[in-house]
Amino acid sequence: MFKENLLKDKTIIVTGGGTGLGKSMSTKFSELGANVVITSRKQEIIDKTAKEISEKTGNPVLAVKADVRKPFENENVLNTAKEKFGKVDILLNNAAGNFISPTERLSYKAFDTIVDIVLKGTYNFTLAAGKYWIENKIPGIVLNIVTTYASVGSGYVVPSAISKAGVLNLTRSLATEWGKYNIRLNAIAPGPFPTKGAWDRLFPGAGFEEKLINKIPLKRVGEHSELANLAAYLVSDFSGYITGEVVTIDGGEWLAGAGEFNWLDEIKPEQWDEISKSIKQKNKK
Ligand code: HXC
Ligand code: NAP
């Protein structure tokens, strides 16, 4: 789908790039020729991932430890990336924390932890990158990974829902404010894509996955390559006129949940015969 070296000479920082979707997107970017910088709290994990990706693609992958909650650590990632690759072009805010819980059972610290990682971590890193791009007149790109419930909200993941909604709003707000500096910001709202991080914390019980798949019109979860391809497009120059946008990739899941009559999927063909007859009779009255 993409031409070889689509992202050559681009340097991309991926937060949470050592595992899950961050790792899959980093692999794709590296395959397309980018210099990739992955970051998370666990040096051992990002080192292993960096080596694995680099051996696969033949392109350099740098692993720099940082907790996105700490602005100076984010600045260190940016500076280390600049030293190694000369400049930074793209920031992918992918790091997140989340778990299911009835909201009334959450401690204040639990709420703060999620908001600090997802909302403030994204804001802090974006600000550091933006200042650097504005000062050096570099046309930057930010891609934020949100969720479908960033727009509609969701029970049982309230700290995450509030934070992702904030990240979506940040995407739209800065897309307008920083357009004049040639900085683009977009977001991807994924539905369910199996990762250990998400599945351990969001679908821990028996039967969770079956329930999930049943409510997706395409009757399957997403494949990492599908998300990685979308991300590659949105960080490439081919999407140069798209900014402030969120692209949903969820097999139709959230629309199915929102549409008033979508539950009629449950009605069998013979029941439709009855229903149709009954409505037509009432029409005549
Ligand atoms: C209630 C919980 C809890 C749980 C943690 N806490 N887990 N409360 N239920 N299951 C509380 C703790 O008791 C503590 O509060 C506070 O949260 C902080 O917990 P720590 O373990 O000290 O925090 P930390 O070590 O910083 O770990 C952060 C974390 C952890 C978010 C809690 O899960 C993590 O490291 N997550 C990173 C990866 C991740 O979450 N990936 C999934 C993203 S998936 P007290 O008051 O007791 O001290 C995603 C997809 C969404 O976002 C859409 C899917 C379709
Ligand atoms: P994951 O593998 O658990 O990814 C989360 C990453 O964030 C981890 O690599 C983790 O690394 C990093 N991270 C967490 N806290 C951090 C911190 N304070 N500082 C730096 N890094 C931190 O889960 P995933 O499913 O791939 O999630 C990736 C993104 O996709 C998240 O934004 C998530 O909300 C989004 N998403 C996922 C799904 C899905 O179905 N999987 C659906 C919608 C949206 P360390 O623990 O090493 O720090």
Side-chain angles (χ1 to χ4, degrees):
M1 175 174 163
F2 297 113
K3 66 178 185 189
E4 227 177 283
N5 289 332
L6 176 76
L7 300 174
K8 193 167 167 40
D9 299 328
K10 303 282 187 196
T11 298
I12 308 182
I13 295 175
V14 181
T15 69
T19 63
L21 299 179
K23 179 177 174 182
S24 298
M25 290 185 279
S26 297
T27 306
K28 183 67 184 179
F29 300 155
S30 182
E31 278 169 2
L32 293 169
N35 304 317
V36 179
V37 183
I38 58 174
T39 172
S40 91
R41 296 167 297 177
K42 298 179 192 121
Q43 188 72 51
E44 209 181 303
I45 289 186
I46 51 176
D47 278 344
K48 191 166 166 274
T49 298
K51 188 165 176 282
E52 191 184 315
I53 299 177
S54 191
E55 279 173 5
K56 185 174 177 200
T57 66
N59 289 318
V61 181
L62 188 65
V64 189
K65 183 177 164 200
D67 184 328
V68 288
R69 291 172 282 194
K70 299 179 179 154
F72 294 116
E73 295 190 10
N74 298 336
E75 283 171 20
N76 179 52
V77 176
L78 198 58
N79 290 332
T80 312
K82 280 189 272 175
E83 274 162 32
K84 168 90 175 158
F85 297 117
K87 66 173 179 21
V88 171
D89 308 276
I90 298 154
L91 170 65
L92 171 53
N93 287 305
N94 164 79
N98 197 4
F99 51 79
I100 48 169
S101 173
T103 307
E104 67 277 13
R105 293 173 68 123
L106 291 174
S107 67
Y108 291 115
K109 190 178 162 205
F111 178 83
D112 286 348
T113 301
I114 304 303
V115 175
D116 284 349
I117 299 171
V118 180
L119 179 57
K120 289 169 75 180
T122 301
Y123 172 81
N124 289 334
F125 220 136
T126 303
L127 189 66
K131 281 181 177 173
Y132 154 67
W133 288 327
I134 292 166
E135 201 180 306
N136 293 282
K137 298 193 168 46
I138 294 172
I141 296 173
V142 177
L143 181 60
N144 293 325
I145 305 301
V146 295
T147 62
T148 48
Y149 59 66
S151 305
V152 295
S154 175
Y156 300 96
V157 284
V158 164
S160 168
I162 292 172
S163 303
K164 294 287 192 183
V167 172
L168 180 54
N169 203 296
L170 175 73
T171 310
R172 290 171 170 152
S173 302
L174 280 181
T176 57
E177 189 180 332
W178 286 355
K180 58 183 173 288
Y181 302 120
N182 216 353
I183 296 172
R184 295 195 292 121
L185 296 98
N186 289 301
I188 295 178
F193 285 74
T195 65
K196 182 169 170 22
W199 258 231
D200 283 357
R201 295 171 177 91
L202 300 167
F203 307 112
F208 273 55
E209 194 165 329
E210 197 190 331
K211 272 206 175 67
L212 174 76
I213 287 173
N214 272 339
K215 68 190 184 80
I216 303 171
L218 293 182
K219 298 295 171 223
R220 66 173 177 89
V221 291
E223 287 178 18
H224 284 213
S225 60
E226 293 171 320
L227 182 84
N229 283 334
L230 176 59
Y233 167 68
L234 288 173
V235 301
S236 79
D237 294 337
F238 282 99
S239 62
Y241 202 50
I242 301 179
T243 194
E245 192 51 80
V246 55
V247 182
T248 299
I249 176 165
D250 73 342
E253 185 191 31
W254 89 263
L255 281 174
E260 177 79 32
F261 290 105
N262 291 334
W263 64 273
L264 293 177
D265 257 357
E266 289 168 18
I267 306 288
K268 306 216 161 43
E270 55 278 17
Q271 290 176 286
W272 278 118
D273 294 341
E274 283 305 309
I275 291 168
S276 168
K277 215 183 327 166
S278 152
I279 293 173
K280 283 177 184 165
Q281 268 167 5
K282 282 176 190 154
N283 284 347
K284 284 184 195 142
K285 284 180 191 159

